[in-house]
Amino acid sequence: MEIQSNPVSGRGLVERVVDGASVEADEHLIRETEKIAVALGRMFPGLCEVVVHDLRDPQHAIRAIENNLSGRQVGDSVTELGLARIEDPGYPSVIQNYPNQFPDGRPAKSTSIGIKNTAGEYIAALCLNLDVSVLSPVTLALSNLVATDTEHREQPLETLRDRNARELRQAVEELAAERAATPRSLSREDKKALVRQLHQDGYFDSRDAAQTIADLLGVSRATVYNYSK
């Protein structure tokens, strides 16, 4: 057994009795967290700083800092969130996507994840600080790229979907149903009106559309072209 003392802001020295196995288990957990920090930082180079804080030693809390964007160093002290978790085991374990700022004024978006041991005590924190100043110009460029002209928003000038036979058959059957009939039982005038509607809706742009319509209506292809005029 050993007595472990940790200096904590506002509380002086807090003593707790721990055994060697608990200390080693806590240390193992922090080392595993460091692996995650390295992987995350290297996945987003130049964009996201990832820091591991050892909350057992607030004055020298930073154990690892990957993709350093804030200028801090290993051995630097804990942040305010770290102190809050040390003082209150009930403090939220995840604080996500909160606004932050690097020392030079660059805006950041941060997430802080508290790591608890088997005793329910916060022993570490994994923190991610995303440099949003780098992304802002990209966001603006993408916004301009996807923007469309407001002049033709109410009624699209064209459709990019394929007018295939199945869709065409469905359209013919629906138009015939509106006249309480099947496609083949429509009158000559109704067939002519149906063909003109299909032509207006762009179905004739599809290959073999005229032949498909002719088969559905029970007329010749030439008749379909005559009806469409």
Side-chain angles (χ1 to χ4, degrees):
M1 303 283 287
E2 64 172 305
I3 301 294
Q4 186 179 78
S5 299
N6 284 340
V8 179
S9 174
R11 295 198 304 170
L13 293 181
V14 176
E15 295 185 341
R16 62 191 181 104
V17 180
V18 295
D19 57 36
S22 296
V23 172
E24 179 55 34
D26 289 356
E27 183 63 24
H28 174 75
L29 192 57
I30 294 176
R31 287 197 300 267
E32 292 299 300
T33 304
E34 289 177 359
K35 294 179 184 178
I36 298 173
V38 171
L40 287 173
R42 293 180 181 178
M43 187 172 182
F44 303 103
L47 289 177
C48 188
E49 174 185 84
V50 188
V51 186
V52 176
H53 295 273
D54 185 345
L55 301 185
R56 301 171 304 174
D57 186 7
Q59 299 302 321
H60 309 90
I62 295 183
R63 281 277 297 260
I65 182 165
E66 187 70 24
N67 201 21
N68 194 330
L69 299 176
S70 64
R72 291 174 294 172
Q73 303 295 327
V74 171
D76 283 355
S77 60
V78 74
T79 65
E80 293 83 354
L81 275 180
L83 291 175
R85 288 195 173 104
I86 293 171
E87 294 174 354
D88 180 12
Y91 195 85
S93 59
V94 178
I95 307 294
Q96 193 161 24
N97 295 335
Y98 59 91
N100 212 336
Q101 191 177 65
F102 291 111
D104 61 3
R106 284 172 297 157
K109 182 173 78 170
S110 298
T111 290
S112 177
I113 306 166
I115 309 296
K116 287 184 175 182
N117 61 13
T118 55
E121 302 167 319
Y122 281 117
I123 61 167
L126 177 64
C127 302
L128 296 85
N129 304 306
L130 183 69
D131 184 357
V132 297
S133 70
V134 176
L135 299 176
S136 296
V138 177
T139 302
L140 179 60
L142 290 175
S143 177
N144 291 333
L145 183 64
V146 301
T148 56
D149 196 334
T150 59
E151 183 180 353
H152 304 293
R153 282 186 180 174
E154 292 185 2
Q155 184 174 358
L157 298 179
E158 63 178 349
T159 176
L160 301 180
R161 67 173 185 247
D162 181 23
R163 302 287 192 175
N164 56 37
R166 182 176 179 180
E167 184 181 2
L168 183 55
R169 176 184 294 275
Q170 182 178 352
V172 170
E173 290 175 348
E174 288 177 353
L175 289 171
E178 292 176 1
R179 296 169 171 80
T182 63
R184 284 177 175 262
S185 67
L186 288 170
S187 66
R188 181 176 180 277
E189 290 303 316
D190 283 341
K191 288 180 179 180
K192 182 182 293 187
L194 184 148
V195 170
R196 288 178 176 172
Q197 183 64 51
L198 293 173
H199 187 273
Q200 180 179 332
D201 290 345
Y203 283 94
F204 276 71
D205 296 339
S206 176
R207 186 182 62 181
D208 299 328
Q211 186 60 56
T212 301
I213 295 170
D215 293 341
L216 292 170
L217 296 181
V219 298
S220 68
R221 181 175 179 178
T223 299
V224 168
Y225 280 119
N226 286 332
Y227 285 169
S228 66
K229 297 177 180 178

